[in-house]
């Protein structure tokens, strides 16, 4: 034993694994509070909570991430008694497994919401973690546009419940079918591979046309950057980019290129005009006509629920993620500006998105099961609320009852108990009480609003001193003795019996 | 493509991994509600939330589970870019890592609570899952008995907040030091291996005495089964067990065996008497005297906070887990009886436990950091609340607005919106509306309290029918048409404009 003691001990490193992070205090509470408000809305819309395990079989998950083209990468997987299991990478793949496994016991349609951590085995970066939260709601087993409309309405209500004011966000609505109609019009439509879906990579799909479909989609995505004329050039004969290099064109003729542009720029002054323009751009194909009709239905249904064009905008330029969905898609965007790291104003952008994907459980059962759902980017929305300072969680620390006399601990604990019984967050200082300055430094570090002090003199008089730390925080660290302390103005003396009401008064003053 | 379609497709199995489970609806809400109530108490006591990642390096976790003797087993681990990482098996090992990693930024003492899933790579059994919740609170960096007292008080408040009535639980308090004192008295005390602690297995400790310490501890644990005389025999010369087999004794002389028994049976009619008896049983050793003094201090501190002997009982027979701790230990036990699977009444037993472990971060930093903390058995406490039916979560489903006429969907959605705006959980039926019976079956499956019906006739009259499903649930599944439906008594007709007030009235009647 003595020998062991003398051996040089190699100590383990105290370090989170690469790409994982600890979250403390107010950050945890802010996220919990936001998620509680959102899920309360989901619940009110009739959605039921589901908590599936964090571990799934690789077989059930599928080997492919929805938005990663590298098979077998992107997940944390290990062998468990001969079976390969992995941490879930999203909440949709587990939903598919749950629906297939419990299909005889679940109501149909099945409306479920789920909140929790998901994991990506990817290279971490700044603000990019390998464990993060998702918050999803999906309706499984309904092909009705009313299901899409309800989820759009619910997303609006959820954002407002979380603290995003009406007018600070817009929900953009599009439909994969109008994109398909457009692609068909220019001879670049895609034949779907059976069984493909959300959990099967795009890489597995096979283009069936000689027209460069991916080239068209890539070009569409550049609309924001290169504008109408730039897109036209890229769709046809090619273009010199800013660096002077020539970028090959997709090779469409002018008529087809204009058709793509008509689609892209179909957004009108209101939803009705947008639908008319979309109809003339893609309405000749049956897919396109179906898509336009669905968009019209959804807009009408939303209108009947009180969700008008101030919140819901049909926007054909929403292309991102369209490849993944089979029908209506929606994206919630925050419209206010924030300052970036360089202090420049920029739009906050998208915080949630979703849409219809009609082959959720086909991998498992062979059956087509229509589904539509939304996923909120929890960390992005939290960041937005922080930027707006509307997260609504008081970051205030506890009232700290200081210890002037170690033998009076029972009395100090009783004070904390009284405060707690009145609903006030409170604690007794539990470190070494000898250095009173340390107690105040501690209170400062805890963002404590008030320190309670009872020394011999106070006890003799039957009073306690309440130190308003919110007022005097800056000076607190310098005060070393009870004598200094009393000279300080931001404090008040109340009868011991009036401890609770005195603290309440001070707290009210701070608000 | 056509060829692919015809290939026989091997479908993945839709199955949770072995030992993992899905949780649905009311079960998720009940757990969330309970944890929210408990953490609200923790927060009020000044504890701060901590959410550490679910993945830790194996190096930081240590290779050993606290209560498992098999090294390298018990955790889910995998290699990540050369480093071994694992799912956390409890919330204490991550706390140690967090305190060591962030020691310059955390207040001291650091009071933190944490809630979340932990993972054990063990053979699953009935009701024994490989992923389950823990809910912990610890004070790190305080050696004061006031820290232990606060956690005991907090545990009582948390249990009551969760729904366990005062009188339905008792917090049993003991101290590792009195056990050590007793073992020292009989010459079986243990020399601690440096660096051992909560995350290091008992198997690593080394007994330093020729007296069979483990034998004594094992025997003590049998007190409930074999009684005073049985324990005396087992501590001395051995005993014939019920089957007629002879069990070897530990070999203590009668005096020492009586000392162990005095310790075990020291519980008196009140805490004062218990302390006196304990003092005479173990007070001759310095360890024992220290332990008795601490117990007295903690009981006094708790008393000053209003936690008297109706809730706090000093009980030397609490031995379980003592090996793991270094000072005071506490265990909350529910005192009411429940019926087991065979319908026999039995005590519910322990739902939470904790204690002082003074070498939390020593593995990392070499420094002694005193800590004390409690862990609530989330699933056991939930089961207890269920048994008492006091979980307080309404399991009621949403009001279901049925679809008599598909073209009237906007009107039905508007009804659901009105109900939600009034805070009532509501949804429109989104399945195929053709078979009305299916809609009622769906409402039944969702435990819906009310179905709202508006057909042509109702619309013409400007009314809606409210069907009280809570009253008529049994019959609902048999009703196939709107005509049958109207013959049914448990329904009421209200003006369309009175939809919300009518639903509110029905819901109030059900409560």
């Amino acid at each position: 034993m003595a020998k062991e003691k003398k051996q040089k001990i190699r100590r383990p490193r105290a370090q989170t694994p690469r790409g994982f992070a600890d979250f403390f205090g107010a950050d945890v509470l802010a996220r919990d509070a936001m998620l509680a408000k959102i899920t309360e809305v989901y619940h009110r819309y009739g959605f039921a909570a589901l908590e599936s395990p964090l571990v799934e079989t690789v077989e059930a998950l599928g080997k492919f991430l929805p938005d990663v083209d590298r098979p077998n990468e992107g997940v944390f997987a290990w062998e468990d008694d001969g079976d390969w299991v992995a941490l879930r990478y999203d909440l949709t793949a587990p939903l598919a497994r749950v629906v297939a496994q419990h299909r005889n016991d679940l109501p149909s349609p099945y409306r479920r919401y789920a909140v929790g951590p998901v994991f990506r085995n990817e290279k971490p970066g700044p603000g990019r973690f390998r464990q993060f939260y998702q918050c999803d709601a999906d309706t499984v087993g309904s092909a009705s546009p009313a299901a899409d409309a309800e989820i759009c309405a619910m997303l609006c209500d959820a954002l407002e419940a979380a603290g995003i004011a009406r007018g600070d966000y817009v929900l953009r609505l599009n439909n994969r079918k109008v994109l398909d109609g457009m692609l068909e019009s220019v001879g670049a439509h895609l034949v779907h591979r059976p069984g493909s879906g959300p959990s099967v990579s795009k890489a597995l799909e096979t283009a069936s046309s000689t027209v460069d479909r991916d080239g068209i989609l890539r070009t569409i995505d550049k609309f924001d950057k290169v504008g109408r004329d730039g897109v036209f050039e890229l769709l046809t004969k090619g273009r010199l980019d800013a660096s002077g290099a020539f970028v090959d064109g997709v090779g469409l003729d002018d008529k087809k290129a204009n058709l793509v542009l008509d689609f892209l720029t179909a957004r009108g002054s209101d939803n009705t005009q947008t639908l008319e323009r979309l109809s003339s751009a893609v309405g000749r194909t049956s897919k396109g006509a179906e898509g336009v009709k669905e968009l019209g239905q959804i807009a009408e249904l939303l209108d009947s629920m009180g969700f008008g064009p101030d919140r819901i905008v049909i926007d054909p330029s929403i292309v991102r993620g369209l490849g993944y969905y089979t029908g209506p898609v929606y994206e919630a965007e925050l419209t206010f500006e924030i300052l970036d790291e360089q202090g420049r104003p920029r739009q906050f952008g998208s915080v949630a998105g979703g849409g219809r994907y009609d082959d959720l459980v086909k991998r498992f059962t062979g059956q087509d099961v229509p589904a539509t759902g939304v996923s909120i980017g929890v960390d992005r929305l939290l960041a937005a609320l922080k930027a707006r300072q509307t997260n609504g969680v008081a970051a205030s620390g506890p009232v700290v009852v200081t210890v002037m006399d170690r033998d009076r601990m029972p009395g100090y604990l009783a004070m904390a108990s009284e405060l707690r019984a009145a609903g006030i967050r409170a604690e007794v200082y539990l470190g070494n009480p000898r250095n009173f300055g340390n107690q105040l430094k501690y209170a400062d570090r805890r963002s404590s609003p008030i320190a309670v002090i009872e020394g011999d003199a106070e006890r003799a008089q039957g009073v306690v001193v309440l130190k308003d730390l919110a007022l005097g925080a800056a000076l607190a660290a310098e005060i070393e003795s009870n004598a200094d302390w009393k000279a300080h103005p931001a404090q008040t003396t109340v009868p011991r019996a009036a401890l609770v009401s005195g603290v309440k008064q001070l707290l009210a003053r701070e608000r």
Side-chain angles (χ1 to χ4, degrees), chain A residues 47-85:
Chain A
F47 286 69
L50 168 66
E51 193 167 319
S52 62
L54 296 163
V55 179
E56 295 276 351
T57 66
V58 165
E59 178 181 1
L61 281 183
K63 282 187 184 170
F64 305 99
L65 281 171
D67 45 7
V68 167
D69 287 336
R70 302 162 298 173
N72 264 331
E73 283 189 36
V75 297
F76 293 104
W78 65 93
E79 208 167 352
D80 173 47
D81 236 356
D83 284 335
W84 277 87
V85 295

Side-chain angles (χ1 to χ4, degrees), chain A residues 201-216:
Chain A
S201 165
K202 279 179 283 183
L204 285 183
E205 297 179 344
T206 318
S208 69
S209 139
T210 53
V211 177
D212 182 3
R213 177 182 168 275
D214 288 342
I216 295 174

Side-chain angles (χ1 to χ4, degrees), chain A residues 393-420:
Chain A
V393 171
S396 176
V399 171
V400 172
V401 178
T402 58
V403 176
M404 299 297 292
D405 179 351
R406 202 193 286 255
D407 293 336
R408 292 284 304 157
M409 198 54 110
Y412 299 133
L413 283 177
M415 291 183 203
S417 283
E418 286 172 36
L419 291 168
R420 289 166 189 153

